[in-house]
Amino acid sequence: MITNSILFGTSNPNKIKEAQKILPKYTIVTPTDIHISSDIDEPYLTLEKNALHKVQTIYSMTHMHCFAEDTGLEVSALDGAPGVHTARYAGVQRNDMDNMQLLLKNLEPHKDRSARFRTIVALCISGETYIFEGILRGKISLEPLGEAGFGYDPIFIPRGYTQTLAELPSEVKNEISHRAKALSKLALFLGQADI
Ligand code: IMP
């Protein structure tokens, strides 16, 4: 059935809020709304494979138009780490502050603090899958600053800015972010496919 509802396979309220702002023409449905689990494993070593795995799992449960995403922070001086391990960088507790502190500690010996966020959005429409990528380049700050956003936002300064993502207004993050870029490509695709 063609509908303007689309299921976003995440339980992260921040991601849902960001996606709804970037996709105003669609009603974002969440796993919680339809009483299914959003706790899907991420067993693979690439963001692409994990995002595809998530969206295929959700599609097999619902047969709805759906998308899922996986995001990684890739730090140049650490050879792209934490990358696919971003959520559990400091351990399975997935704690944002622990993750940021470990990253800051590991970066201490390095002069190059350049990094990028990379989001892979996987879309599933009638069983067919599509991939969209969004990248935000910047650098890692010397300490966590700011209260907005989530995850590693307090230590990421986007290129062209002097403040971290957590210090910038959410409207700015939503204009420039990795997720915004990937979701804008998704929105364009959905529009062209008349969905
Ligand atoms: P996942 O994509 O939900 O598995 O997230 C991977 C890790 O990246 C988690 O630690 C998230 O908190 C973090 N993360 C995902 N998106 C963002 C973002 O937009 N800003 C900061 N951290 C993020």
Side-chain angles (χ1 to χ4, degrees):
M1 187 177 71
I2 304 294
T3 165
N4 69 348
S5 290
I6 188 156
L7 175 61
F8 183 10
T10 183
S11 58
N12 183 327
N14 296 290
K15 290 184 179 181
I16 294 163
K17 223 188 291 168
E18 288 181 9
Q20 189 63 77
K21 283 194 188 145
I22 296 159
L23 299 168
K25 285 192 192 156
Y26 300 88
T27 303
I28 307 273
V29 179
T30 68
T32 313
D33 293 336
I34 56 169
H35 310 292
I36 61 165
S37 171
S38 59
D39 189 19
I40 300 162
D41 58 344
E42 296 173 349
Y44 297 107
L45 290 178
T46 66
L47 300 175
E48 286 81 358
K49 283 186 182 169
N50 282 331
L52 277 172
H53 170 68
K54 281 196 247 183
V55 85
Q56 282 162 343
T57 305
I58 291 160
Y59 181 77
S60 68
M61 288 193 269
T62 63
H63 286 87
M64 286 178 70
H65 295 333
C66 53
F67 64 96
E69 61 107 90
D70 202 14
T71 294
L73 177 58
E74 300 172 340
V75 179
S76 312
L78 303 178
D79 296 326
V84 74
H85 304 295
T86 297
R88 278 154 291 174
Y89 190 44
V92 288
Q93 73 276 19
R94 291 170 155 256
N95 180 277
D96 290 339
M97 195 44 83
D98 292 352
N99 286 338
M100 287 190 286
Q101 293 299 354
L102 180 61
L103 184 58
L104 291 174
K105 185 168 155 278
N106 289 344
L107 254 189
E108 264 170 20
H110 300 278
K111 216 171 147 197
D112 175 10
R113 302 185 73 85
S114 63
R116 64 181 195 175
F117 272 115
R118 198 161 71 88
T119 290
I120 297 293
V121 169
L123 169 72
C124 190
I125 300 288
S126 307
E128 293 286 327
T129 51
Y130 309 86
I131 289 272
F132 306 93
E133 183 183 58
I135 289 175
L136 176 64
R137 292 177 206 285
K139 65 179 180 188
I140 303 298
S141 62
L142 293 171
E143 57 177 343
L145 289 171
E147 304 291 329
F150 67 99
Y152 293 75
D153 283 347
I155 59 167
F156 188 88
I157 302 174
R159 190 181 279 175
Y161 292 81
T162 53
Q163 292 174 298
T164 69
L165 281 175
E167 293 178 292
L168 291 165
S170 62
E171 296 76 35
V172 173
K173 180 180 179 189
N174 256 351
E175 264 168 40
I176 63 171
S177 84
H178 38 295
R179 188 166 301 101
K181 288 175 184 161
L183 289 176
S184 299
K185 291 179 189 172
L186 168 90
L188 191 66
F189 177 88
L190 290 174
Q192 284 167 351
D194 202 20
I195 289 168

